[in-house]
Amino acid sequence: MGAERSNLKAGPGLAPSRPRRWHWKRLLWLPVLLAAFSVLQVLVLRFIDPPLSTVMLWRYGEALGQGDWDYRLHYQWRDLEQMAPSLPISLVAAEDQRFPEHNGFDLQAIEKARDHNARGGRLRGASTISQQVAKNLFLWQGRSWVRKGLEVWYTLLIETLWPKSRILEMYANIAEFGDGIYGAQAAARQFWGKDAKRLSPAESARLAAVLPAPRRYAAARPGPYVQRRAAWIQRQARQLGGNAYLGED
């Protein structure tokens, strides 16, 4: 009887320790599961075109939060070969001229931006097209070390699991070219009433020119800044070698 009482007293005291240990084991597995999920995300989107991006959802929620119930997203996916040849090279000329060469991060641009920002004045960024795809497709808006760390992680995954052509295709489809207007096809239809395949080099350059601030500048009614920048983009595209620079005919 004494031994039985001893076991009965010990049982309740030991029982909670097992769930506690199992709880900590599950927490340790959480980063592994999240990493595996992110790899699966990127791998699937190499072959499947996304119906939306997190930036689109964020902007839609922002509009509703401001009481804009008439807000609409304009987004129509088009494969790269269904876009004018002048568009991809215009995007690269405007945003990331070392895109075919780097592995997701342009260290030269980062160093130049750091030196420029250290001297004061308007802050300059150094995000590559790959980084912009990572944050626009998968992440939320805002600035934090957590978001920046995830951006680096997703950029590495994209560069590892996708060919460059897929990265550029994704960028051309999810970039914002106007308020609520995402992707080259939606922009071409909204601004000029044509398909992205029929964009002229000048129109492609205008789309690329508004990317720093698509809600401030207008590709369809370009002001002096957009006109100057679009002309510069066209010159840069020619100097890079046109589509041959991207490995295209």
Side-chain angles (χ1 to χ4, degrees):
M1 290 294 291
E4 288 178 10
R5 284 196 208 97
S6 175
N7 288 338
L8 288 172
K9 290 178 182 178
L14 290 173
S17 65
R18 289 178 183 174
R20 215 174 275 131
R21 283 199 299 270
W22 175 240
H23 177 70
W24 283 110
K25 284 181 181 178
R26 282 188 292 181
L27 286 179
L28 291 173
W29 273 101
L30 186 60
V32 177
L33 294 175
L34 291 175
F37 175 72
S38 64
V39 171
L40 182 62
Q41 270 184 303
V42 175
L43 193 57
V44 167
L45 289 177
R46 173 175 178 171
F47 305 102
I48 297 177
D49 304 328
L52 290 171
S53 71
T54 56
V55 164
M56 296 177 201
L57 293 173
W58 185 280
R59 177 68 186 106
Y60 189 72
E62 182 182 57
L64 294 184
Q66 294 170 350
D68 186 0
W69 301 104
D70 295 326
Y71 181 82
R72 295 292 181 270
L73 291 173
H74 301 278
Y75 169 63
Q76 295 172 281
W77 180 275
R78 285 296 183 272
D79 294 338
L80 211 55
E81 59 268 21
Q82 295 174 305
M83 299 179 190
S86 57
L87 183 65
I89 187 61
S90 294
L91 296 175
V92 168
E95 295 289 291
D96 184 5
Q97 294 192 5
R98 298 187 67 248
F99 173 72
E101 303 169 7
H102 64 64
N103 294 316
F105 306 95
D106 188 343
L107 300 182
Q108 293 180 16
I110 291 172
E111 189 61 34
K112 287 180 181 178
R114 185 181 299 165
D115 292 342
H116 172 85
N117 296 339
R119 292 193 296 268
R122 186 177 179 180
L123 292 180
R124 177 187 294 177
S127 291
T128 64
I129 284 176
S130 303
Q131 287 175 273
Q132 292 180 57
V133 168
K135 64 185 178 184
N136 291 343
L137 186 58
F138 297 109
L139 303 175
W140 62 92
Q141 297 294 294
R143 295 177 179 272
S144 70
W145 286 109
V146 172
R147 197 198 66 81
K148 195 64 180 177
L150 288 172
E151 178 188 315
V152 170
W153 170 246
Y154 273 106
T155 300
L156 290 172
L157 289 181
I158 286 169
E159 283 281 343
T160 301
L161 299 174
W162 294 0
K164 286 285 188 177
S165 59
R166 180 59 171 174
I167 298 173
L168 193 53
E169 182 177 67
M170 189 70 71
Y171 183 63
N173 274 285
I174 67 172
E176 185 179 18
F177 293 107
D179 192 13
I181 301 171
Y182 295 89
Q185 174 65 12
R189 296 302 306 173
Q190 290 293 314
F191 299 151
W192 296 293
K194 62 172 71 173
D195 289 330
K197 183 73 173 176
R198 297 178 55 236
L199 287 170
S200 69
E203 290 164 345
S204 295
R206 286 182 197 173
L207 289 179
V210 304
L211 283 176
R215 298 180 211 170
R216 179 180 176 185
Y217 302 115
R221 300 179 302 279
Y225 167 79
V226 172
Q227 291 178 15
R228 288 194 305 270
R229 181 160 170 79
W232 177 85
I233 289 169
Q234 286 188 273
R235 289 195 301 271
Q236 291 296 304
R238 288 193 296 268
Q239 290 175 13
L240 288 171
N243 294 336
Y245 183 65
L246 302 176
E248 301 175 6
D249 297 330

